[in-house]
Structures are given as structure tokens and as C-alpha cells.
Amino acid sequence: PEETVTSSFASFIHAVQPEHLSKTVRHRSKRMILDSIGVGLVGSTTHVFDIALQYCRLYSSVAVSSVYGKPGIKLSPTLAAFTNGVATHSMDFDDTWHPATHPSGAVLPALLAASQMLPPGTKPNGMDFLLAFNVGLEVQGRLMHFSTEAHNIPKRFHPPSVVGTMGSAAATAKLLSLSTAQCAHALGIAASLAGAPMANAATQAKPLHIGNATRLGFEAALLAARGMEANPLILDDIAGCSGFSAFYSIYQPKPLSTPSDHHEFLLEKQDIAFKRFPAHLGMHWVVDAALSVRNLFINYAGSFSPSLIRTIVLKIPVSKYINRPFPSSEHQARHSFQFNACTALLDGEVGLSSFTESSIHRQELRELLDKVVVEHPEDNVANFDKMYGEVALLLHSGDVLTGKCDTFYGHWRKPLSKESLLKKFRSNASHVLPEEKIETIITMVDNLENLSDSSQL
Amino acid sequence: QIYSSDISSTIWGHLDFRLPPLYAAFVNGVAVHSMDFDDTWHPATHPSGAVLPAVIALAEAFPREKKISGLDLLLAFNVGIEVQGRLLRFSSEARNIPKRFHPPTVVGTMGSAAACAKLLALDQPKCKNALAIAASYAGAPLANAATQTKPLHVGNAAKHGLEAACLASQGLQGNKQILDMESGIGAFYTDYNPQTLPTLQSYPWLLDQQDVAIKRFPAHLGTHWVADAASSVRRKLVESSGNSLPLDKIEKVVLKVPEVKYVNRPSPASEHEARHSFQFVACSALLDGSMSVQSFTSENIHRLALRELLCKTQLEHPPDNTPSFESLYCEVSVMLRDGNTVSDRCDTFYGHWRKPLKKEDLEKKFQSNASSILPAEAAEGIIETVYNLEKVEDCSVLTKFLSGQSVRALSEKLH
């Protein structure tokens, strides 16, 4: 097999031995080590070092924050946030916004962990919590409006790792009641912790993006709370020295107006999409289209008979990381138009079990995948507000059956009903929690504004 | 959960407490870059600070029975440096002083992951995953340079690289082509042309062809040219006016430097800003004759004579002065009231890779740095251990010195 760049690096790291080192290299690198140690030693007398150290000492062993699904286990707050963030995005089942990001997973875990961290007597109530959460969302939305690039499905940096980290910093700063200056520094520090490339989407590492967004944003706020300072112009566009603008090629920041009675949160104008099954948002269009054409097909042929199908044509927008003809892992399957369309055709539905090893590799599915052809109509823009999905079955008989979906059920234009949302929650929660706990959570969140101590959540 | 267990690593210079390896790497990395005193390479990054704290912290995390030798440590360290150098060569942007992402946060994180993967002896697929996972932690914008947050860039590079290697070791997988794809590490560059590494047979290490620069005082590398030129101008001024600096006769100070926005600060207000100011270093060197750790204390930053001189200082950016550590130069000209001008130019400062520090001067820097924190025997112990690193059987001897233990028995262990 042809050797890739990445593979050659891995081979080098793995196979290199001491005898490969030359005399000059040994000599120079030892000088570097000596110098580096000396520099580190004197550096331990600085103020910035004190802050960093205090922070780590305080939080490395205080295990007060809960972990989703693990009643007996507690972790230090930022690590709990990390773990819970990873959990949230682990199946790509979490919410998606427009412009594109996964807003909640980047904010909620940090807030939950933080609320457990605060001493009794200063615990935020449900309203504080709800507000902080919305601050986290709002900041993310506003930042995304700074670049027209953000309106389309991403190509370079995974948005939750960019704006999510900032949102988490903002939300936590809010919950911890930091001063204005400290909030600015929290954002500044968070920017230096933001930004993961798209390439890890559709891999097991993707959930880390949310885990790290929520954890690192939280850390940024904690550091700012302890006096750490960053660039106060981090969100501004300064030529020659990039701040937050580093993550975009076009960047036009705008100041946020001071909150007044009339401040309109973005969430007001632009709702969220909730997923009905655990896969990338783009999949939801093709699945609804596939289900619709499946019905037509069953009416036509009496039952779903794959042998009658010559070709399956998918009309989808151009987006490399979700165009996968033959996914081989669950992560890839969640990011494959082809896989999701075929699963919907075959099973009449897509759910958690669609992504198990056996489901992914079954023969009937592979046969269907073989028949798939992908087209990218010009009017199908890679944008969650404008895209559509069309599935056409070209039968051996010459007949063509088509299904098209402009707005899937769960999209912000067609939001999930309360019953559907509760059904999803109960179904998910029942994997790890007993019924009474499930119902308690539902009630608590429903009445969040009236909750006196949000750490109960 | 690993990080809430009892495993702990040394905080350099501190005997009194330890931290889990992840946080030890972070904190020591922050220390290394806290004063901008650490090494610089070409293409530009601060290679050692992103790697050394991570491998040292990791070496301490192995179970007692498993000994990490000095040679293991040296090899892992060099893997971490080499990977950084190779990655920097994948983009022509990297050859100049950065504008968008701070290089240690991009390649440093990857280098740390590679070095830790080596020390953990991960198999080839896991090494690949370590790199892939690390990429998702990489990248911080330049705007936090010259602020208190900058040292975190190196601390985080070390910490996150270590974390990536640990996650890979536990089976986490990422994109197998993370270095090949534009949407992988390529995301941090506008032009990106990755290349496979040469085979291991007579491997051409980058450190062989290209040495690092070691700083003589704690400030941005660009200011080192300025300091040398300014010191020389001061000598000339002092000689020609009876052995004292004729401050009130100075009309104007002009610095010819490359255009590097984040080091152009006419009036720095904090130590972080002062370390990133051509103007500040020029004036400091003119006043004192040389730069040192002390040049950046609050009193020295705010002293009147310096502030007055700063007001007379301006920058010029000659078109032939390219913003690259390989080719930049600095010219300092002091214009006197009587019409005379005294100037000097520095093309290569002492400590640059073209004019490396001599052994005595490297040791002098180390001793000066270490002496305020460590007892003399520990400092001596470190020097000896590092010089003989290949022969050290158990590198825990290094970390014991680092924590300040000055046990005579330890020094004897070396011989």
C-alpha cells in the first residue's frame, strides 16, 4: 500500500532507535535540555507561574463534579466537564444551530460541573443557571455571525472547537459572576484554547472537540477569575497579528449591544435543530427523503424489494466529510449520506441500533450501497438553512420513484413536538437511569427558573 | 480518571509538592516560556518548552519497576523536536515570523504528542492516533503574544500533546491522514505541502543541519539583534564622550528593524509587553550596556530615563529587512544634538545559530537561572546528568535534582 505522510511519521516515531542519533545531534540537544531546565527554574519565580500553579493545585484533586451515567464517580470540575462533553457529542446526537455548530454540548457540561464546585450558600439557582447557559449560546451565535464562512457547513475548523470554547468561557464566567474585565480575559484566554481541524470529524476523536470546548472554556474562566490576563482585543480585527480572526479568512466583528429590555437573543430569531437519530445533521434530510420514497416504493411493489432497484441517486450538497460510499466504523457511518439513506430504505427507520457493528456491515446494506450514485445539484447549497435531500430510485423496469425533503422533522423550521422531544429523552436516559430519576430531571428542567439550587440537577 | 489518582510528577524547583503528570507538564511548560527566555528555532518556534516538560513528567509516571534511561529520554526528546521541524517545513508561511497562529501551539503540541508516544513505546497505529488527536488540540492565535497568557501556549502544547498520547494509548482513534489532509494540520496554514519522512537509514536529523538560537536575556528573539547593536552604539558613545553616556545630548534614536507588528511597542506598560518591544530593548541596552533578567523588573520598565529615551525612539522598516529569524538584521542609529550620528548594525547576535553560545556561557546562563531556586549541588547535578545523559541508567536522578534534592549520594550515583 502507498505510504502516506501520516503513516511515515508514525513509522519513524515507532522504529527510530538510539543508534540513529548522530554525535552533533546528541551534543546540541543536550545543550538545549540544559538551557531549557535553567529557564524553567527561574521561570518558577514569576507571577504567571503562580497563577498557573494555584489553579492546578486547587483543581487537581477536588473531585466534586458528577459524571453522566456514573452515579458513584466524581471528578474534578474541569475534567468532569470534559468527560461529560465527550459523552454529549460521542454519538453526534446533540443539537445543531445555524450558523453551524453544536451549541449545548460546549456549554452545559461546564455549567453543571461548575455549579457543583461552588460552596453551599453560593450555589446558583435555576434562573442563574438558565441565564448563564443562554449567555453561552448567545456568544457562540454572535461570533459565528462575524464571518460569512460560518454560514456554510464547515471545511477547515470544527465550529464547536472555535466558538464552543468561547461560549463555554462566557457561560462559566457568567455563572461565576466575574467582573467585566475578567470576562474579557476569559474570552482572550479561551481563544488560545480554541480551534480543532475538521479532519477529526467522523473519527473517534470528534467528541473530544466538544469535551475540550466545554472544559477549556471553563478553564479559561477559572484562570481569568484568578487574575490571568490576555489580549483585551482578542475579538477585534487587528491587522498583522491575528486574534480570534485567525480561525476565519473573512472576519468582520461587530460589537454586542449592552443588554437592555430589548436585547434580542439570537435564539429568539433562530431556533435549534434536534436530531432524531444519532448522525450528522445533513443525514436527516436524506433519511426523510428516503423514507418518503420508500413508502412510494412499497405502494408500487407491495414490499421493499431491493432486487428491483437498479440505481439509487442521492442529490446532496458538496461536503467531503459526509460523503462516504462505504463507511467502515460507526463514526464514519454517522457521517455518510449514502449509509443513512440506505439504512432508511432498508429498515424504514434510523435509530441507535443502526450504527452497531453488525448493522454497519450487513450484507443487504452493502448491496444497496453498491447501487448508490451521488449528484451535487448546483442549487443544493452546503448550508443547514438552505440544503435539501433527494433520493431517487431508478428501477430495472425503467420507472423512477423520487422522494425529496426540504425540511426534516426536528429542523428549526419544523421543530420536534414536546412529545417527540420527551420520547427521545426518555429513550436515551433509560439506558442508564431508573424511571423516577428520569421523570425528576424532566420536571426539574421544565421548572428550571424556580429551582433554588441548580447543582441538584 | 487517571488524573485523580496518586501518580504525580515533579514541579521544577519545588520539593514541597507534586502534581499529576498532565498538570506538571502544563505548569513546567508555562514556567519555561514565562519570560520568553527559551530557545528558538528556524523555521520559527520554541521547540524545547513544548516537549521537555511533557517527557520529564511522563517519565516519572511509569511504575517504579520500569526504568526510563537517559538515552530513552534523549531519544524521545529528539523525536519531539524533529517532528516539529518537519511539520514547519510543510508550509512556506512558516519561514517568516508568524502572524496568525503561534507556532508552538501548532507544531509544539504535535511534537509533544510524538515525544510522549515514543516514550510510551506505542505501536505505529497508536503513534498515528496520538498525532491525530493532538491536532484537535493544536492552534492558538498570535494575539495573546505579549500578554500574560502567552506562556500558556507552551504549557498547553506540552500538556495537550501528553494527553493526546495517553488517550491514544488507551485506544482512542483519530483521522489516520491527519498530516495529509488540508482539513487536518493543514487547517492552520494557507499553503500546505506535506512530505513523507526519509527512511531511518542514516536519518538526516534537522537539528544536525539547523541549530537553535539560545537567548541571552528574556525577551522576543527579534530584540536580540537590537540589543547587540545598541550595546555597541553605547560603547562608541561612551568612548567618545569621556566615559559616560551623554543622555541629554541624544536627539533621536532610530531602529531599522523588520516589520513585526507584535514586537513594535513604543511604550510598553507590562513586563510581557516590554519583552515584545524593539524600542524598549534598544533603550534599555543603551542605558545599561547589556540586557539581563533584571532589565524587565517593574522599576526598570518605568524608570524616567528610559521613558524619556523611548519618546525619542522611532522605527524604520527597510524593505530588505525580511521578518525571518534567518535573515533579519538591526541597525541602531543615535542622532546627537551636535549633528553627529553614531550607529551600528547587527546581522547575527551572539546566541544565534550562526554564532552559538560557548559552553561556558551556556552554563553561566543555566547557573544564573538555577541558582535562585536550587541548591548548588542540585544545579551541578543537573549539568552533569544532562551532559552524560546517554549513560544515565535511570533518569529519575534528573527529576530528583529538579525537585531540589541536594543529596550528595545522588551525585555519587552518576559516577
Side-chain angles (χ1 to χ4, degrees):
Chain A
E2 207 174 30
E3 211 188 9
T4 61
V5 169
T6 312
S7 197
S8 75
F9 272 68
S11 299
F12 168 79
I13 295 167
H14 172 67
V16 74
Q17 292 300 308
E19 45 268 25
H20 293 124
L21 292 172
S22 75
K23 191 169 164 198
T24 308
V25 168
R26 275 187 281 128
H27 173 68
R28 286 181 182 170
S29 60
K30 283 187 290 186
R31 286 162 53 96
M32 286 162 71
I33 290 174
L34 188 64
D35 180 73
S36 195
I37 290 175
V39 160
L41 287 172
V42 74
S44 74
T45 63
T46 61
H47 184 43
V48 61
F49 171 84
D50 281 341
I51 295 176
L53 187 58
Q54 265 185 59
Y55 159 75
C56 285
R57 289 185 78 179
L58 208 45
Y59 298 114
S60 63
S61 58
V62 181
V64 293
S65 299
S66 306
V67 177
Y68 284 149
K70 302 278 174 193
I73 296 179
K74 285 213 158 61
L75 293 175
S76 68
T78 56
L79 294 178
F82 173 68
T83 314
N84 291 332
V86 168
T88 305
H89 201 49
S90 59
M91 294 182 179
D92 229 299
F93 211 175
D94 46 331
D95 53 23
T96 311
W97 211 9
H98 179 67
T101 194
H102 300 293
S104 301
V107 174
L108 189 63
L111 293 180
L112 289 170
S115 67
Q116 285 179 298
M117 177 184 92
L118 293 165
T122 66
K123 295 251 191 242
N125 61 35
M127 194 70 235
D128 294 331
F129 191 90
L130 190 60
L131 180 62
F133 180 75
N134 277 285
V135 164
L137 297 184
E138 180 72 0
V139 163
Q140 293 185 67
R142 294 284 169 181
L143 289 174
M144 284 190 291
H145 282 285
F146 291 171
S147 175
T148 48
E149 267 171 54
H151 282 74
N152 294 338
I153 298 175
K155 289 190 201 178
R156 216 153 57 101
F157 290 106
H158 191 213
S161 67
V162 180
V163 300
T165 314
M166 307 297 278
S168 171
T172 331
K174 182 67 191 163
L175 198 75
L176 297 174
S177 307
L178 299 190
S179 71
T180 312
Q182 286 172 327
C183 286
H185 291 306
L187 290 175
I189 298 165
S192 276
L193 293 163
M198 276 311 289
N200 276 328
T203 77
Q204 199 188 35
K206 189 191 190 196
L208 253 65
H209 291 186
I210 291 277
N212 277 328
T214 194
R215 166 223 221 176
L216 299 174
F218 187 3
E219 281 188 11
L222 291 173
L223 286 164
R226 288 193 144 50
M228 180 146 303
E229 296 178 0
N231 190 317
L233 296 173
I234 198 74
L235 297 181
D236 295 76
D237 193 18
I238 312 287
C241 181
S242 298
F244 189 68
S245 60
F247 300 106
Y248 300 101
S249 29
I250 305 167
Y251 184 73
Q252 284 143 346
K254 283 185 263 300
L256 202 50
S257 54
T258 44
S260 61
D261 289 330
H262 311 293
H263 178 88
E264 197 181 45
F265 279 78
L266 290 170
L267 198 55
E268 179 89 38
K269 295 188 283 206
Q270 171 68 62
D271 197 3
I272 288 259
F274 289 111
K275 293 172 175 176
R276 283 184 357 255
F277 53 87
H280 185 276
L281 202 75
M283 312 299 106
H284 284 63
W285 277 269
V286 294
V287 164
D288 275 14
L291 292 177
S292 130
V293 80
R294 183 182 196 271
N295 281 338
L296 286 180
F297 187 51
I298 291 178
N299 285 341
Y300 173 96
S303 65
F304 184 75
S305 324
S307 51
L308 296 176
I309 303 175
R310 185 162 54 87
T311 313
I312 302 171
V313 180
L314 298 184
K315 290 195 176 151
I316 48 173
V318 175
S319 183
K320 282 200 188 146
Y321 78 108
I322 36 183
N323 176 351
R324 291 169 200 277
F326 295 105
S328 53
S329 72
E330 63 167 288
H331 303 283
Q332 289 185 2
R334 302 189 200 279
H335 295 79
S336 164
F337 281 120
Q338 296 92 329
F339 178 86
N340 284 276
C342 291
T343 302
L345 284 173
L346 206 52
D347 301 337
E349 61 169 7
V350 180
L352 260 103
S353 52
S354 311
F355 299 93
T356 60
E357 275 292 299
S358 37
S359 300
I360 291 174
H361 293 110
R362 53 190 164 142
Q363 182 67 355
E364 321 85 86
L365 187 71
R366 297 271 131 187
E367 280 168 12
L368 266 188
L369 283 171
D370 271 324
K371 302 185 190 199
V372 174
V373 149
V374 150
E375 277 174 26
H376 302 298
E378 263 182 54
D379 68 340
N380 203 347
V381 187
N383 171 316
F384 291 140
D385 203 39
K386 300 193 184 131
M387 64 173 276
Y388 63 85
E390 209 177 288
V391 178
L393 302 179
L394 307 182
L395 306 178
H396 284 296
S397 64
D399 286 327
V400 176
L401 301 171
T402 321
K404 178 167 171 171
C405 171
D406 284 303
T407 304
F408 66 86
Y409 179 46
H411 190 267
W412 44 83
R413 288 191 300 261
K414 207 193 273 180
L416 288 191
S417 66
K418 185 176 178 187
E419 297 79 56
S420 298
L421 191 64
L422 288 180
K423 193 169 148 201
K424 178 183 173 184
F425 179 78
R426 289 194 175 103
S427 160
N428 284 341
S430 62
H431 287 270
V432 289
L433 290 180
E435 207 189 312
E436 323 90 61
K437 287 242 160 74
I438 296 177
E439 296 307 314
T440 312
I441 296 175
I442 293 177
T443 318
M444 216 180 257
V445 174
D446 210 26
N447 294 304
L448 196 51
E449 297 92 323
N450 300 322
L451 191 61
S452 58
D453 176 3
S454 60
S455 71
Q456 283 176 35
L457 192 56
Chain B
Q1 277 178 281
I2 291 181
Y3 301 119
S4 37
S5 74
D6 294 326
I7 304 174
S8 67
S9 303
T10 304
I11 307 310
W12 302 354
H14 286 260
L15 190 51
D16 40 343
F17 57 84
R18 300 161 69 80
L19 283 176
L22 193 72
Y23 292 115
F26 173 65
V27 154
N28 290 325
V30 167
V32 169
H33 200 49
S34 61
M35 291 181 179
D36 231 297
F37 212 175
D38 46 331
D39 53 23
T40 311
W41 212 10
H42 178 68
T45 195
H46 300 293
S48 300
V51 174
L52 192 64
V55 292
I56 289 184
L58 181 57
E60 292 186 83
F62 284 87
R64 218 158 282 184
E65 319 79 61
K66 165 95 183 141
K67 281 198 198 138
I68 306 292
S69 70
L71 195 50
D72 293 330
L73 193 70
L74 188 60
L75 181 61
F77 177 78
N78 276 287
V79 165
I81 303 300
E82 180 73 7
V83 164
Q84 293 184 65
R86 291 287 169 182
L87 289 173
L88 285 166
R89 281 160 174 73
F90 289 171
S91 174
S92 57
E93 266 172 47
R95 303 195 75 74
N96 291 340
I97 297 174
K99 287 191 198 178
R100 213 152 63 99
F101 289 105
H102 191 212
T105 62
V106 181
V107 301
T109 313
M110 304 300 279
S112 169
C116 293
K118 184 63 189 168
L119 201 65
L120 288 169
L122 298 187
D123 62 28
Q124 201 258 28
K126 285 190 173 168
C127 286
K128 212 185 289 196
N129 284 320
L131 291 172
I133 298 164
S136 278
Y137 287 80
L142 199 53
N144 279 329
T147 77
Q148 202 185 37
T149 298
K150 190 190 190 200
L152 258 62
H153 288 186
V154 172
N156 277 324
K159 166 201 201 201
H160 292 149
L162 171 53
E163 187 163 285
C166 290
L167 287 167
S169 159
Q170 298 203 286
L172 188 69
Q173 299 174 12
N175 189 315
K176 297 195 204 331
Q177 302 194 309
I178 197 71
L179 302 183
D180 299 81
M181 299 172 75
E182 256 175 37
S183 58
I185 271 288
F188 298 104
Y189 300 101
T190 45
D191 74 292
Y192 182 69
N193 295 297
Q195 243 101 66
T196 57
L197 290 180
T199 56
L200 278 176
Q201 224 178 15
S202 43
Y203 186 82
W205 295 83
L206 291 172
L207 198 52
D208 235 312
Q209 310 152 25
Q210 169 72 61
D211 199 359
V212 291
I214 295 194
K215 292 175 174 173
R216 285 188 351 260
F217 58 87
H220 187 275
L221 200 74
T223 63
H224 281 60
W225 280 265
V226 169
D228 276 16
S231 304
S232 161
V233 165
R234 183 190 199 271
R235 266 194 304 277
K236 294 185 188 175
L237 280 172
V238 162
E239 272 163 23
S240 62
S241 44
N243 287 340
S244 71
L245 187 69
L247 265 178
D248 40 350
K249 299 213 179 84
I250 296 178
E251 171 94 22
K252 205 161 64 159
V253 177
V254 176
L255 308 179
K256 288 194 177 146
V257 292
E259 186 164 5
V260 182
K261 289 231 166 102
Y262 75 106
V263 191
N264 174 351
R265 288 169 205 277
S267 184
S270 70
E271 62 167 289
H272 302 283
E273 288 182 6
R275 301 188 200 281
H276 294 78
S277 167
F278 287 124
Q279 296 93 325
F280 177 84
V281 171
C283 294
S284 246
L286 279 171
L287 283 178
D288 303 335
S290 69
M291 299 294 295
S292 72
V293 171
Q294 299 312 312
S295 309
F296 299 91
T297 60
S298 198
E299 306 86 60
N300 279 333
I301 290 176
H302 293 108
R303 51 188 162 148
L304 192 57
L306 183 76
R307 294 274 133 190
E308 281 172 3
L309 204 50
L310 277 173
C311 291
K312 303 179 187 177
T313 306
Q314 62 196 59
L315 298 187
E316 276 176 18
H317 303 303
D320 71 337
N321 203 344
T322 43
S324 151
F325 291 138
E326 177 56 39
S327 53
L328 78 95
Y329 66 86
C330 170
E331 217 174 277
V332 174
S333 305
V334 172
M335 277 135 215
L336 301 172
R337 284 196 210 286
D338 62 11
N340 282 331
T341 302
V342 180
S343 341
D344 209 336
R345 174 174 165 143
C346 173
D347 284 298
T348 304
F349 66 86
Y350 177 47
H352 190 268
W353 44 84
R354 289 192 298 261
K355 208 193 273 183
L357 289 190
K358 300 198 274 272
K359 181 177 183 211
E360 313 81 67
D361 290 323
L362 182 66
E363 273 176 49
K364 200 166 137 202
K365 178 185 174 186
F366 178 81
Q367 287 284 16
S368 162
N369 285 339
S371 62
S372 46
I373 322 290
L374 294 179
E377 293 115 36
E380 281 301 328
I382 292 175
I383 294 179
E384 259 212 77
T385 311
V386 173
Y387 277 146
N388 296 299
L389 204 49
E390 300 94 320
K391 305 194 193 95
V392 172
E393 275 176 23
D394 179 358
C395 66
S396 68
V397 88
L398 181 62
T399 48
K400 290 202 173 67
F401 285 135
L402 273 173
S403 67
Q405 284 180 47
S406 61
V407 183
R408 208 132 274 178
L410 273 178
S411 331
E412 273 149 21
K413 244 196 212 176
L414 286 175
H415 301 287

